[in-house]
Amino acid sequence: MLRQYARQFVQKLVRRRPLEPQEESESRRAPLSILRLVLLGVGRTLGAGVYVLAGIMVMFITGPAIIISFSVVALSSVLSGLCYAELWAWVPRSGSAYLYSYVTMGELCAFVIGWDLLLYLVAAASCLTRAWSYTFDSLIGNQISQALERTFSPHMPSFLAPYPDFVSLGLVLLMTGLLVLGARVTTLIFKVSTGLNLFVPIFMILSGFIKGDLHNWQLTEQDFSSNTSGSSSTFSLGPLGSGGFVPFGFEGILQGATILFTSYFGVHGIVTAGKEAPNPQRSIPLSMVISIFIGFLAYSGVSAALTLMVPYYQIYPYSPLPQAFLQVGWDPAGYVMAAVFLCTLLYSFLCATFSMFQLIYAMAADGLLFQVLARIHTRTGTPIMAILASGTLTGFMASLLRIFDLVKLMSAGVLPAYTLVAVSILVLRYQQDQNLSKNEKIEEEIEISDHEPSPSEPVPEAGNSSILKNLWYPTSPIPTRKSGQIVYGCAFLLVLLLTILSLILAQWPSQVFSGDPVLTTVAVLLLLLITGVTVIIWRQPQSPTALHFKVPALPVLPLVSILVNIYLMMQMDAGTWVQFGIWMGIGSVIYFGYGIRHSFKEKNEQQPAASTSQMLDKNVPSDESS
């Protein structure tokens, strides 16, 4: 009885969502060229939110070396984007990583990815409204923040913001009300915002050439003392770093890359549009790499101009670009930049909120979240409860958390989600052919118990010797149930080994590379084990299923993506891990207390909602924010 209960429980964790039939209007569209895909990727990559991140990163974490952090993030984003592209290829529909993982990997993986992406979207929307509040407040001489800080700062706990940001809360309530009434992001708004997002980096880079000073990349303690009234000659830069181009060292570069990982997140929108390209196998990776390279040039150019115009320790972290112009004496340009900044921040916030309530609605419609969140209002045609839930979460976090904590939570949501995407690719390619259509019975999809061997699957030999033999010499040229199980086990073993290795490299890098006998030996043994397990996966037969796009150099490329993502996660501080753990704990209670019992119920009641979801999908991708 206990064994049967455990089997049923595991079956629920891995059951897959049947793929809905594709509408004719969705399947027939004009082909997209590489140029149009690049323009789409650049439009979704260049967002106002990253300029807020740039100010915070330069001031507290990287200094002018933020340019190097952007290059690290660009490499990591290419790897994650290629893995995301193949996951989409298994489910060639418009959607999100949540949908793709639900159809291919099963319910638990889908919930974890969806819940992580939800954390990213909530933190992103909260960060954007907080930045809007700071920018608006700076235009009126910081009177709002000073008054609120005098009133509330003595009574606020240390882990919260110094004061509740009522401007952010009011903005969230206003925009939530508009969304409830059915407001949408039109094509005109998208084009205007894209034009403004292109204007910001171009104007900023040109201004850096004119007003920049290379000495700001060679700052010393004496420079800081001469620019600070009342400083003594013995003053130490301390938390402001050591000066120069890399004031916070290599550790600061990696921590900056961890937070800036979300900079290129929107470029993954190329993947869902890539199905309309004549040659997706070539168009998707090429347009993605070009878009990320253009984004890197824009972000690094703006950051370089910012740090050349203003010493890194004098940058206003929460509204860096407008304040930079005020500091160099270009007051009119500063006010124009502030106005542009407010508009683009508002648009980015709308995109994040759209994506957030779409994701909440999708998970609720599948039964993984409370199904009341999937109700559609008959008059406005909007999922009111999902929108209200989005507004409540955003308003709570935006008004109470520091913007620095919010930007760290953004990465805490994205990095684990895309690590799971890479793991999914590492596993999927070595599994038996899967029929993902809705016509297939769910019981056949999730069956993991007794299995009768098919004619194409050889009858396994008895004993442990057969298992060891299959690790190196598979008995079939196509994936079998046994080879698929071997890859499953090896993939999760690799994640464990890579996590231990990343932890050692992140915590004791100098000891490892200086030849410490214990740590160096452990690191070498881990590398040998990782290499051996990777070779075992490589020896297993791959699925012959034809896909629009396949990750090259399997299993090495997904493995490198997993390593980079895990290593960046190890750069997160303890406070971020605590907040992330609380979020995942809440998600575990919701899933195991509610979701696992309510998913895959009757879908007939949700058909009207499904059409509304398709309507919403035409506005904003469901897991991306600009």
Side-chain angles (χ1 to χ4, degrees):
M1 179 64 70
L2 182 61
R3 181 180 178 183
Q4 182 180 4
Y5 176 79
R7 181 184 295 122
Q8 293 175 351
F9 178 75
V10 174
Q11 286 176 354
K12 291 180 180 179
L13 297 180
V14 299
R15 57 186 171 184
R16 298 194 299 270
R17 169 181 169 174
L19 192 60
E20 300 288 338
Q22 189 171 11
E23 292 186 0
E24 198 70 20
S25 61
E26 184 182 353
S27 59
R28 294 183 180 179
R29 294 180 182 176
L32 291 177
S33 63
I34 292 180
L35 177 60
R36 292 183 65 184
L37 288 175
V38 169
L39 292 176
L40 175 67
V42 171
R44 291 181 174 177
T45 302
L46 295 181
V50 73
Y51 303 125
V52 179
L53 298 183
I56 299 172
M57 295 298 99
V58 169
M59 179 73 175
F60 299 112
I61 296 181
T62 64
I66 188 174
I67 300 172
I68 304 177
S69 297
F70 273 121
S71 63
V72 174
V73 174
L75 172 63
S76 178
S77 296
V78 170
L79 297 176
S80 296
L82 294 177
C83 294
Y84 183 83
E86 179 167 334
L87 186 62
W88 158 82
W90 287 94
V91 191
R93 303 289 173 85
S94 297
S96 65
Y98 161 74
L99 170 64
Y100 304 150
S101 59
Y102 208 161
V103 174
T104 57
M105 293 298 293
E107 186 171 293
L108 180 61
C109 181
F111 181 84
V112 173
I113 288 179
W115 193 248
D116 285 343
L117 291 177
L118 184 59
L119 173 62
Y120 160 74
L121 291 170
V122 174
S126 303
C127 178
L128 290 167
T129 56
R130 194 96 187 185
W132 195 97
S133 172
Y134 282 129
T135 303
F136 177 78
D137 187 38
S138 67
L139 293 176
I140 58 175
N142 299 316
Q143 296 181 16
I144 299 176
S145 58
Q146 291 174 4
L148 291 174
E149 190 166 3
R150 284 194 302 267
T151 305
F152 292 98
S153 182
H155 312 290
M156 297 294 289
S158 59
F159 57 87
L160 295 179
Y163 59 89
D165 193 336
F166 293 114
V167 176
S168 295
L169 180 60
L171 179 63
V172 171
L173 294 177
L174 175 62
M175 302 312 297
T176 301
L178 293 177
L179 292 173
V180 167
L181 295 176
R184 300 178 190 173
V185 177
T186 64
T187 304
L188 177 61
I189 296 176
F190 173 77
K191 290 180 179 179
V192 171
S193 179
T194 301
L196 291 176
N197 284 332
L198 292 174
F199 163 79
V200 170
I202 293 174
F203 183 70
M204 190 69 191
I205 292 172
L206 292 176
S207 302
F209 275 110
I210 299 173
K211 299 295 291 185
D213 184 0
L214 282 175
H215 180 70
N216 287 332
W217 284 2
Q218 304 168 358
L219 297 171
T220 63
E221 183 177 328
Q222 287 72 24
D223 294 309
F224 181 85
S225 301
S226 62
N227 291 328
T228 306
S229 59
S231 297
S232 63
S233 58
T234 58
F235 185 87
S236 174
L237 286 176
L240 296 176
S242 57
F245 184 76
V246 190
F248 300 96
F250 184 69
E251 181 181 356
I253 293 174
L254 292 177
Q255 289 181 353
T258 301
I259 297 175
L260 293 170
F261 183 83
T262 59
S263 305
Y264 306 102
F265 187 52
V267 79
H268 297 158
I270 290 176
V271 172
T272 53
K275 64 181 178 181
E276 301 162 28
N279 184 5
Q281 187 72 19
R282 177 175 177 270
S283 301
I284 290 177
L286 184 59
S287 56
M288 188 178 296
V289 170
I290 294 174
S291 299
I292 290 177
F293 179 71
I294 294 175
F296 165 72
L297 291 180
Y299 291 149
S300 59
V302 169
S303 302
L306 180 65
T307 52
L308 286 172
M309 291 170 64
V310 183
Y312 73 91
Y313 49 72
Q314 291 184 348
I315 289 174
Y316 187 74
Y318 307 125
S319 180
L321 305 191
Q323 290 296 320
F325 287 103
L326 297 179
Q327 287 176 271
V328 297
W330 285 15
D331 291 10
Y335 290 116
V336 171
M337 184 63 71
V340 172
F341 213 47
L342 289 175
C343 294
T344 52
L345 283 172
L346 195 61
Y347 170 77
S348 297
F349 168 72
L350 279 175
C351 289
T353 307
F354 260 110
S355 302
M356 191 194 321
F357 77 71
Q358 283 181 256
L359 182 58
I360 291 175
Y361 165 82
M363 296 179 70
D366 290 330
L368 298 182
L369 295 180
F370 306 109
Q371 291 188 351
V372 67
L373 298 174
R375 292 180 181 175
I376 300 294
H377 193 275
T378 54
R379 186 174 62 85
T380 62
T382 56
I384 289 182
M385 298 307 296
I387 295 174
L388 291 177
S390 303
T392 301
L393 286 172
T394 304
F396 175 78
M397 294 181 68
S399 59
L400 294 179
L401 293 183
R402 298 183 184 92
I403 192 171
F404 194 35
D405 294 331
L406 291 171
V407 297
K408 290 189 287 187
L409 282 177
M410 290 167 60
S411 295
V414 170
L415 283 169
Y418 278 88
T419 301
L420 281 178
V421 169
V423 173
S424 300
I425 297 307
L426 196 62
V427 169
L428 275 176
R429 189 86 73 83
Y430 296 94
Q431 302 304 309
Q432 291 176 293
D433 288 345
Q434 305 176 62
N435 182 6
L436 303 175
S437 67
K438 189 175 181 180
N439 297 327
E440 185 180 6
K441 294 181 180 179
I442 296 174
E443 289 80 4
E444 294 175 355
E445 288 190 354
I446 63 175
E447 184 63 42
I448 62 170
S449 55
D450 297 336
H451 173 75
E452 295 295 332
S454 63
S456 62
E457 182 177 344
V459 178
E461 302 174 6
N464 295 330
S465 60
S466 174
I467 299 177
L468 294 176
K469 182 180 178 181
N470 285 333
L471 295 178
W472 297 97
Y473 302 102
T475 57
S476 173
I478 61 174
T480 64
R481 179 170 177 265
K482 177 176 289 186
S483 67
Q485 290 176 338
I486 289 173
V487 174
Y488 258 113
C490 289
F492 287 104
L493 178 59
L494 277 176
V495 172
L496 177 62
L497 294 175
L498 290 173
T499 301
I500 298 174
L501 178 62
S502 300
L503 181 62
I504 292 174
L505 293 177
Q507 297 297 322
W508 303 283
S510 58
Q511 292 90 327
V512 172
F513 293 107
S514 63
D516 182 272
V518 177
L519 292 176
T520 304
T521 302
V522 172
V524 170
L525 288 176
L526 287 171
L527 286 173
L528 292 175
L529 287 174
I530 290 169
T531 303
V533 177
T534 304
V535 171
I536 292 175
I537 294 179
W538 172 70
R539 293 289 299 170
Q540 304 308 308
Q542 294 187 26
S543 172
T545 302
L547 300 175
H548 291 294
F549 176 82
K550 288 187 176 182
V551 171
L554 200 78
V556 176
L557 193 146
L559 187 64
V560 174
S561 178
I562 295 169
L563 174 60
V564 172
N565 290 348
I566 292 178
Y567 184 72
L568 290 179
M569 282 193 287
M570 292 302 163
Q571 305 300 320
M572 297 191 303
D573 56 43
T576 304
W577 279 112
V578 170
Q579 293 171 334
F580 178 72
I582 294 173
W583 177 262
M584 295 306 297
I586 295 173
S588 300
V589 172
I590 293 175
Y591 176 69
F592 290 106
Y594 178 87
I596 197 172
R597 294 183 291 109
H598 291 81
S599 57
F600 279 101
K601 286 195 172 183
E602 289 295 330
K603 297 289 182 180
N604 294 332
E605 301 176 359
Q606 298 170 10
Q607 291 305 316
S611 62
T612 305
S613 178
Q614 294 166 2
M615 175 271 295
L616 293 173
D617 284 338
K618 297 177 183 178
N619 291 310
V620 183
S622 58
D623 66 350
E624 299 164 8
S625 71
S626 297

